[in-house]
Amino acid sequence: MTAMRYRHLFGKTLRKTPQDIKSGGLALLLRAGYIRPLGHGLYSCLPLGLKTAANIRSIIREEMEQVGGQEVSVPLVNPVEIWMRSGREERIHADMIRFSDRHDRRYVLSPSHEEAFVELVRHGLRSYRDFPALLYQFQRKYRDEERVRHGLLRLKEFEMKDAYSFHRSPSDLNNFFPKMFAAYQRIFARCGLDVLTAESGVGYMGGEKAYEFLLPSEIGDDVILQCPSCGYRANRDVAKGGKQYGKGLPQLMEEISTPGIQTIEELSAFLKLDRSLLMKSIVYRTPEGYVMAVVRGDYDISEEKLSSYLGKPLLGYAGPSELASLGLVPGYLSPLGAGDAVTVVVDDSVAGSVNLVAGGGKPDTHVGNCNFGRDFESGHVVDIAMVRHGDRCLQCGENLEELRAIELGNIFKLGDYYTRSMDLLFQEENGKVLYPHMGSYGIGIDRLLGAAAHHLRDDHGLVWPASIAPYRFFLMGIGKSESVRREVEQLYSSISRDTLIDDRSESPGVKFKDSELMGIPWRIVISTSSLEEGRAEIFDRRRLTKRLVPLADLRSAISALREEA
Amino acid sequence: MTAMRYRHLFGKTLRKTPQDIKSGGLALLLRAGYIRPLGHGLYSCLPLGLKTAANIRSIIREEMEQVGGQEVSVPLVNPVEIWMRSGREERIHADMIRFSDRHDRRYVLSPSHEEAFVELVRHGLRSYRDFPALLYQFQRKYRDEERVRHGLLRLKEFEMKDAYSFHRSPSDLNNFFPKMFAAYQRIFARCGLDVLTAESGVGYMGGEKAYEFLLPSEIGDDVILQCPSCGYRANRDVAKGGKQYGKGLPQLMEEISTPGIQTIEELSAFLKLDRSLLMKSIVYRTPEGYVMAVVRGDYDISEEKLSSYLGKPLLGYAGPSELASLGLVPGYLSPLGAGDAVTVVVDDSVAGSVNLVAGGGKPDTHVGNCNFGRDFESGHVVDIAMVRHGDRCLQCGENLEELRAIELGNIFKLGDYYTRSMDLLFQEENGKVLYPHMGSYGIGIDRLLGAAAHHLRDDHGLVWPASIAPYRFFLMGIGKSESVRREVEQLYSSISRDTLIDDRSESPGVKFKDSELMGIPWRIVISTSSLEEGRAEIFDRRRLTKRLVPLADLRSAISALREEA
């Protein structure tokens, strides 16, 4: 941390934001001179933003080294071959940018770096003696996101700390995993953020367990289900909960004419029936055939649960021509008589309810009083629905609550998926040749910066903790007296390293406002009158409190604040 | 700099290199565990390589801050629009990767960041009070190079420190430029490298002056002309020198039958004439028409000089069909009767010589005794040839020498090309609205690492200066005695921060070799016998000398070495 004069600082505060962003952390980062937009999903860092990000990186570095991490780096651009080896090349679609060079070699802009790290360790992890290994990097990623969001929260090009651990066995991975969990908790706490942890999706790649570190936030993309009683907490994608089943005696099936009615919303309104009395069927394309997912109309399908159950990725919804080739009619899909060309996976909410209305399998027709077991069957009855607010906690019976949050980091037991597919082997002590087990651990740096800005603020601007603030002290004088100027300059040269001195000829009010907007933790003010009293004022940005400190004690007061930070 | 146990270090030394690279700095970086290849023109950094690069970055940061630099960052991926605004989109071809996102927005992988920096400062440099500004970043670039070279020297994805300065006027830029020049000299000196500086090309974009910082090297891509007497030094692309003109009386022109003879080599052999008696003509495509460059057969054309003279880029050689459309015959090109559709630019070596053999303008024919002024004319007589070893220094008359070198950095007065084309204006004190003048300043981090490894080595391995070495001290014991082990561990815990301790149960010889291969500046050895004498041995990696230090003085000896570094 070096000192700076505000006059020289590049990226002054702005009176209004350069974009059409009125409020929140993003507006403050723009107005306070931390970041600038460059394009859709692309941001640049100004000096203040860069310093804050650098402080975040330092904290992460310390905590990674603490658990044995060693810093490395791999290129953003990867040869496509390593992605083909892992099998992800054919599984990741619109999100990943591919290109060819002038010699027709093919590359990708990596959205993550599992493959490159497996290649990195290929010559380094050969014997059981080389384990465990934790390697991390700070590197750019690129994801061609469908939509970018809220400035720094979902960028196309973004920086991540990604880490990968390699272990001799699943139990070694299991033993290491809690250390990383604890390191992540320390990282976010040191950044001044109160995070929650929740179980999250492990996908179809044989991952075993994953956790997210989340900041509860109204601008978050993630929805968490949590139990207020026992503490169970999981991402909606994977949360488990007891669904309420509709009870009653099965009635006779009946055909219902539903001209032009194709969606659950329309059907519910048309029949004046609650959505919990309807059946929703969606057909997905997978690498090996089609899958029809059936849930009750009041639930959404969790593609994560479905994909994880199937052990394969979903490649999107089947289109009209694909449905036609399966003998299915869009808008009137139904598991009744769906045929063998499509695998039917039925959520237990459907299997456990009675007398549901399903698609009729032909245009303008639905069928009432459908009952699983009697009218249709499937060997795949499983939980594929997204649990909701009010569903029962399976651990304690209490009602689950929904919470919106920003995912700041995740930790993931990958198992041996990558080492096995990419053929990375090591020799055990007993001479056996085995695949190492991997964990992966990510934190988005820009997202962390954006989330912190949104949550560490008040009406006056940003409120950084000293641990990540670009400068700890904002130093200014009031009045034109030479003695004030001299005192301020002397103080600056003696404490300068983490200090921004405001040497402009602006009014005190302007300087107060700017220092508060920028979120510098402590403002030190020397005025003609305070100087006469032999004192300086220290303003605490977070508490919005002032105190007067004798000039003779100022340096020790500043040291004490640094210690506290 | 933190401490490390060799047992835990990821990236052990290798007995042989993993690639077919037998010698030089690249082989050492691979063998000593600094880097690993990932693909064609793509390398990853292992912990030792990353630490060395981090030390290089720290030196650069200090020197940039010293001249008022502030660190920022812009994305590697740029919207194509800003490249269209500057005009470079249509001027940079195979080197630049372009792609479209899922919404058909177009982007480039930036090979450099002038445009992005102009956008970055758009809201920040509005008044004369905001100047000067020097902003820098460490960021990846991507260039789809025709050929990659010698490992780290020419990569596709590489890291640069790039800096851009903004000034109120050309004279302000001129005043700032020498400060940057001096900062660059300090940077390379602190990395232990003896660099030369040379004038280099400013291109066609209105740049005014450029210098390269070069490390003389047999593996370098650049050729420098220097005068051993007066010190004149410039890249061959732009070097000026006195050419020897052939003298004599003009003879009568004569047609010569040259069936199938198309190249200067063939013509020289066929006619048994020295190449200095021949004329070489090449036609280039430019954004506005075609240009024929004519030099004497013993010179090569400097495309840099030609492009700079024309004030426009060369887009490559004109192909056969293009030549045909101009009425020209490939292999028999000639300025004689070239017609108005092509601009003829004649090197002074041609204009000043007599009785040259030129192409005949029709197949299988050349013309002898061609003389500029008599047989053909051009308004464009100018120096467009690459000066050679032995040409005369224009400053002092001494013969110039050629030197091969690696370009490690460059500094460049860009003038107002970018600010003007991208319409970046500021208001002067007198109210006038002006375009700022820019400088740009680059250093390739990977290239610097690769060049340093190649030049700072001996038969035993790498020889880092303490300023950039991954660790300063390599600590080891000899013998199995518990007292040696205890002494070594005590020393390690007291001096640990920049120390690598070798705690393996390998022989002393293996440890000696590894420490020398890795290039750690000082090796501290405690053995049973040295311990009995109460002493430790300090081995100086660069000087290959040993000295014994009393244990009581060891800590102060270590501190002294740190001070020296």
Side-chain angles (χ1 to χ4, degrees):
Chain A
M1 233 184 231
T2 48
M4 176 60 68
R5 292 178 182 277
Y6 191 88
R7 227 171 351 110
H8 296 160
L9 177 68
F10 182 77
K12 304 278 194 288
T13 57
L14 303 174
R15 292 298 144 241
K16 51 180 188 176
T17 54
Q19 283 195 310
D20 186 27
I21 295 154
K22 297 278 172 284
S23 66
L26 179 60
L28 290 177
L29 287 175
L30 290 166
R31 273 187 52 211
Y34 281 71
I35 59 170
R36 289 288 173 267
L38 178 67
H40 190 248
L42 299 172
Y43 273 85
S44 300
C45 264
L46 296 176
L48 289 180
L50 192 108
K51 275 179 190 292
T52 311
N55 291 336
I56 292 172
R57 264 183 228 115
S58 293
I59 290 173
I60 294 177
R61 252 186 207 113
E62 281 176 30
E63 296 296 343
M64 287 298 102
E65 308 266 329
Q66 189 67 35
V67 290
Q70 298 183 52
E71 192 171 348
V72 296
S73 81
V74 301
L76 164 59
V77 171
N78 284 188
V80 76
E81 288 77 17
I82 64 172
W83 285 75
M84 293 168 75
R85 220 170 292 155
S86 76
R88 286 212 293 175
E89 204 283 327
E90 60 184 18
R91 288 171 175 188
I92 299 187
H93 291 270
D95 276 1
M96 187 157 75
I97 295 292
R98 295 152 169 89
F99 66 91
S100 295
D101 73 4
R102 62 207 295 163
H103 302 297
D104 286 328
R105 288 193 195 84
R106 291 166 59 213
Y107 297 91
V108 306
L109 288 189
S110 302
S112 76
H113 279 112
E114 284 79 0
E115 285 82 358
F117 270 76
V118 169
E119 288 305 320
L120 183 70
V121 304
R122 200 174 278 286
H123 296 280
L125 298 181
R126 299 187 153 187
S127 148
Y128 67 93
R129 288 187 203 88
D130 300 326
F131 291 85
L134 172 65
L135 302 175
Y136 72 98
Q137 69 170 351
F138 292 91
Q139 170 63 305
R140 304 265 170 153
K141 319 268 179 241
Y142 191 90
R143 288 185 196 163
D144 192 7
E145 295 281 359
E146 175 120 34
R147 62 205 182 103
V148 300
R149 283 209 53 218
H150 253 90
L152 303 183
L153 293 194
R154 194 173 290 276
L155 291 168
K156 296 186 150 192
E157 181 179 331
F158 57 97
E159 184 184 323
M160 270 185 84
K161 183 286 294 173
D162 47 332
Y164 305 87
S165 69
F166 298 85
H167 307 270
R168 289 163 71 175
S169 66
S171 66
D172 278 5
L173 170 57
N174 286 341
N175 289 336
F176 177 73
F177 209 65
K179 291 183 192 162
M180 209 64 176
F181 192 100
Y184 266 48
Q185 289 188 307
R186 288 194 300 270
I187 288 167
F188 297 117
R190 289 179 63 184
C191 291
L193 297 173
D194 244 343
V195 297
L196 304 176
T197 57
E199 279 190 51
S200 66
V202 292
Y204 52 87
M205 288 200 178
E208 286 140 39
K209 198 86 180 172
Y211 292 94
E212 291 171 343
F213 293 76
L214 300 132
L215 187 65
S217 173
E218 78 287 1
I219 61 168
D221 261 350
D222 284 73
V223 176
I224 304 307
L225 272 291
Q226 67 175 0
C227 173
S229 164
C230 74
Y232 171 77
R233 204 182 288 125
N235 193 297
R236 184 168 62 177
D237 293 337
V238 298
K240 291 187 191 337
K243 301 161 193 164
Q244 281 120 27
Y245 299 152
K247 293 295 167 206
L249 284 178
Q251 307 289 319
L252 276 188
M253 270 216 296
E254 53 177 5
E255 220 174 79
I256 311 171
S257 170
T258 52
I261 303 296
Q262 299 206 346
T263 68
I264 289 291
E265 291 71 28
E266 291 164 355
L267 189 64
S268 169
F270 181 78
L271 299 179
K272 297 188 178 60
L273 287 177
D274 189 79
R275 292 159 57 142
S276 66
L277 300 171
L278 312 177
M279 213 187 289
K280 177 154 68 182
S281 304
I282 291 178
V283 177
Y284 291 93
R285 191 184 326 114
T286 82
E288 299 109 32
Y290 294 92
V291 172
M292 178 185 286
V294 186
V295 295
R296 222 169 52 195
D298 52 336
Y299 281 104
D300 287 323
I301 292 169
S302 162
E303 297 185 353
E304 171 67 33
K305 286 182 179 176
L306 177 60
S307 166
S308 173
Y309 171 73
L310 295 168
K312 49 193 175 192
L314 305 180
L315 304 180
Y317 299 141
S321 63
E322 290 171 288
L323 291 176
S325 76
L326 296 167
L328 299 173
V329 180
Y332 303 91
L333 298 178
S334 164
L336 284 78
D340 292 340
V342 58
T343 306
V344 176
V345 180
V346 176
D347 186 62
D348 59 289
S349 63
V350 168
S353 295
V354 293
N355 299 331
L356 299 178
V357 177
K362 54 185 180 185
D364 304 333
T365 310
H366 281 80
V367 180
N369 299 329
C370 293
N371 289 283
F372 180 80
R374 183 188 75 176
D375 308 322
F376 65 104
E377 277 279 7
S378 167
H380 308 285
V381 176
V382 60
D383 172 27
I384 55 166
M386 287 210 270
V387 172
R388 290 174 319 204
H389 192 90
D391 282 345
R392 201 164 29 81
C393 174
L394 292 185
Q395 292 186 173
C396 74
E398 184 62 76
N399 290 345
L400 295 172
E401 298 173 354
E402 274 186 16
L403 187 71
R404 194 161 272 281
I406 301 169
E407 182 199 338
L408 294 180
N410 57 58
I411 63 174
F412 201 121
K413 293 186 196 174
L414 293 173
D416 62 359
Y417 176 84
Y418 290 94
T419 53
R420 192 176 282 274
S421 58
M422 298 180 73
D423 205 28
L424 178 78
L425 288 156
F426 75 101
Q427 192 165 37
E428 247 309 340
E429 198 162 5
N430 60 14
K432 265 186 154 171
V433 167
L434 297 173
Y435 296 109
H437 281 248
M438 285 176 73
S440 88
Y441 317 89
I443 295 178
I445 306 301
D446 320 81
R447 186 183 288 185
L448 180 47
L449 177 63
H454 194 74
H455 285 271
L456 304 174
R457 65 187 165 106
D458 63 16
D459 293 344
H460 310 285
L462 298 160
V463 186
W464 297 121
S467 57
I468 62 173
Y471 295 98
R472 292 205 185 103
F473 302 100
F474 183 95
L475 177 59
M476 59 178 277
I478 296 181
K480 296 198 193 326
S481 101
E482 178 57 22
S483 54
V484 164
R485 204 197 59 79
R486 203 180 322 117
E487 188 69 29
V488 167
E489 285 292 337
Q490 266 177 20
L491 188 60
Y492 179 64
S493 55
S494 72
I495 65 159
S496 68
R497 75 183 148 91
D498 46 7
T499 303
L500 180 64
I501 182 172
D502 195 341
D503 53 353
R504 292 175 294 176
S505 55
E506 295 282 356
S507 74
V510 166
K511 296 182 181 183
F512 286 173
K513 278 216 163 111
D514 280 341
S515 74
E516 288 162 23
L517 176 59
M518 289 186 282
I520 312 296
W522 296 289
R523 183 171 67 214
I524 302 170
V525 183
I526 296 175
S527 64
T528 319
S529 62
S530 83
L531 194 59
E532 272 167 17
E533 298 165 12
R535 301 199 291 187
E537 182 191 278
I538 300 183
F539 172 76
D540 183 308
R541 173 69 186 88
R542 187 166 64 80
R543 298 188 184 85
L544 300 174
T545 53
K546 295 173 185 178
R547 63 190 167 112
L548 288 166
V549 176
L551 284 175
D553 302 342
L554 192 53
R555 278 163 191 76
S556 63
I558 287 167
S559 300
L561 291 173
R562 275 205 192 109
E563 286 296 313
E564 186 189 301
Chain B
M1 232 185 233
T2 48
M4 176 61 67
R5 292 177 180 277
Y6 192 87
R7 230 173 346 113
H8 296 160
L9 178 67
F10 183 77
K12 304 278 193 289
T13 58
L14 303 174
R15 291 298 144 241
K16 49 181 188 176
T17 53
Q19 283 196 314
D20 186 28
I21 294 154
K22 296 278 173 283
S23 66
L26 179 59
L28 290 177
L29 287 175
L30 290 165
R31 273 187 54 212
Y34 281 72
I35 59 171
R36 288 286 173 267
L38 178 67
H40 191 247
L42 299 171
Y43 273 84
S44 300
C45 263
L46 296 176
L48 289 180
L50 191 110
K51 275 178 190 293
T52 311
N55 291 337
I56 292 172
R57 263 182 230 115
S58 293
I59 289 173
I60 295 177
R61 252 186 208 113
E62 281 176 30
E63 296 296 343
M64 288 297 102
E65 308 266 329
Q66 189 67 34
V67 290
Q70 299 184 52
E71 193 172 348
V72 297
S73 82
V74 302
L76 164 58
V77 171
N78 284 187
V80 76
E81 288 78 16
I82 64 172
W83 284 74
M84 292 167 73
R85 220 171 291 156
S86 75
R88 286 212 295 173
E89 204 281 327
E90 59 183 19
R91 289 170 176 189
I92 299 187
H93 292 269
D95 277 2
M96 187 159 74
I97 295 292
R98 295 153 169 88
F99 65 90
S100 295
D101 72 4
R102 61 205 297 163
H103 302 297
D104 287 328
R105 287 192 196 85
R106 291 167 58 213
Y107 297 92
V108 306
L109 288 189
S110 301
S112 77
H113 279 111
E114 285 79 1
E115 286 82 358
F117 271 75
V118 169
E119 288 305 320
L120 183 68
V121 303
R122 200 173 280 286
H123 296 281
L125 298 182
R126 298 186 154 188
S127 148
Y128 67 95
R129 286 189 204 87
D130 301 325
F131 290 85
L134 172 64
L135 302 175
Y136 72 98
Q137 68 170 351
F138 292 90
Q139 170 63 304
R140 305 266 170 154
K141 318 268 180 246
Y142 191 90
R143 287 183 197 165
D144 193 8
E145 295 281 358
E146 175 120 34
R147 63 207 180 100
V148 299
R149 283 210 54 218
H150 253 92
L152 304 184
L153 293 194
R154 194 173 292 276
L155 291 168
K156 296 184 149 192
E157 179 179 331
F158 56 97
E159 183 183 323
M160 270 185 85
K161 183 287 294 174
D162 46 332
Y164 305 87
S165 69
F166 298 84
H167 307 271
R168 289 163 71 174
S169 66
S171 66
D172 278 5
L173 170 58
N174 286 341
N175 289 336
F176 177 73
F177 209 65
K179 291 185 194 162
M180 209 63 177
F181 192 99
Y184 266 48
Q185 289 188 308
R186 289 194 299 271
I187 287 167
F188 298 116
R190 289 178 64 184
C191 292
L193 296 173
D194 243 342
V195 296
L196 304 176
T197 57
E199 279 190 53
S200 65
V202 292
Y204 52 86
M205 287 199 178
E208 287 141 38
K209 198 87 180 173
Y211 292 95
E212 291 169 344
F213 293 77
L214 300 133
L215 186 66
S217 173
E218 78 288 1
I219 60 168
D221 261 351
D222 284 73
V223 175
I224 304 308
L225 272 291
Q226 67 176 359
C227 174
S229 165
C230 75
Y232 170 76
R233 206 183 286 126
N235 193 298
R236 184 169 61 178
D237 294 339
V238 298
K240 292 189 191 333
K243 301 161 193 164
Q244 282 120 27
Y245 299 151
K247 294 294 165 205
L249 284 177
Q251 308 290 319
L252 276 187
M253 267 216 298
E254 53 176 6
E255 219 175 81
I256 310 170
S257 169
T258 51
I261 304 297
Q262 299 207 344
T263 68
I264 289 290
E265 291 71 26
E266 292 164 353
L267 189 63
S268 169
F270 181 78
L271 299 178
K272 297 187 179 60
L273 287 178
D274 189 80
R275 293 160 55 143
S276 64
L277 300 170
L278 312 176
M279 213 187 287
K280 176 155 66 182
S281 303
I282 291 178
V283 178
Y284 291 92
R285 192 184 324 116
T286 81
E288 299 109 33
Y290 294 92
V291 172
M292 180 185 286
V294 186
V295 296
R296 220 169 53 196
D298 53 335
Y299 282 105
D300 287 323
I301 292 170
S302 162
E303 297 185 353
E304 171 67 33
K305 286 182 179 175
L306 177 59
S307 166
S308 173
Y309 171 73
L310 295 168
K312 49 193 176 193
L314 306 179
L315 304 181
Y317 299 140
S321 63
E322 291 171 288
L323 291 176
S325 76
L326 296 167
L328 299 173
V329 181
Y332 303 91
L333 298 178
S334 163
L336 282 77
D340 292 340
V342 58
T343 306
V344 176
V345 180
V346 176
D347 186 62
D348 59 289
S349 63
V350 168
S353 297
V354 294
N355 299 329
L356 299 177
V357 178
K362 54 187 179 183
D364 305 333
T365 309
H366 281 80
V367 180
N369 299 328
C370 292
N371 288 283
F372 181 80
R374 184 188 74 177
D375 308 322
F376 65 103
E377 277 278 10
S378 167
H380 308 285
V381 176
V382 61
D383 173 28
I384 56 166
M386 286 209 270
V387 172
R388 290 173 321 200
H389 191 88
D391 282 344
R392 202 166 27 83
C393 173
L394 292 185
Q395 292 187 173
C396 75
E398 185 62 75
N399 290 345
L400 295 172
E401 299 173 351
E402 275 186 17
L403 188 70
R404 195 160 271 280
I406 301 168
E407 182 199 337
L408 294 181
N410 57 57
I411 63 175
F412 202 122
K413 293 186 196 172
L414 294 172
D416 62 1
Y417 175 84
Y418 290 93
T419 52
R420 191 175 284 273
S421 57
M422 297 181 73
D423 204 28
L424 178 77
L425 289 156
F426 76 100
Q427 191 164 38
E428 246 311 338
E429 197 163 5
N430 59 13
K432 265 187 154 170
V433 168
L434 297 173
Y435 297 108
H437 279 249
M438 284 176 74
S440 88
Y441 317 89
I443 294 178
I445 306 301
D446 320 82
R447 187 182 288 185
L448 181 48
L449 177 63
H454 194 74
H455 286 269
L456 304 173
R457 67 188 163 106
D458 62 17
D459 294 343
H460 310 286
L462 299 161
V463 187
W464 297 121
S467 57
I468 62 173
Y471 294 97
R472 292 206 186 103
F473 302 100
F474 182 95
L475 177 58
M476 59 178 276
I478 296 181
K480 295 197 192 332
S481 100
E482 177 58 21
S483 54
V484 166
R485 203 197 60 78
R486 203 179 323 116
E487 188 68 29
V488 167
E489 286 290 336
Q490 267 177 20
L491 188 61
Y492 179 63
S493 55
S494 72
I495 66 161
S496 70
R497 75 183 149 92
D498 45 7
T499 303
L500 180 65
I501 182 172
D502 194 341
D503 53 353
R504 291 175 296 174
S505 54
E506 294 282 358
S507 73
V510 166
K511 296 182 181 183
F512 286 172
K513 279 215 162 110
D514 280 341
S515 74
E516 288 162 23
L517 176 59
M518 288 186 283
I520 311 297
W522 295 290
R523 182 172 68 216
I524 302 169
V525 183
I526 297 175
S527 65
T528 320
S529 62
S530 82
L531 194 59
E532 272 166 19
E533 296 165 13
R535 301 199 290 187
E537 183 190 279
I538 299 183
F539 172 76
D540 183 307
R541 173 69 186 90
R542 188 165 65 79
R543 298 188 184 86
L544 301 174
T545 54
K546 296 172 186 178
R547 62 186 166 117
L548 289 166
V549 176
L551 285 175
D553 302 340
L554 192 52
R555 279 165 189 73
S556 63
I558 287 168
S559 300
L561 291 173
R562 277 205 190 108
E563 286 298 312
E564 187 189 300

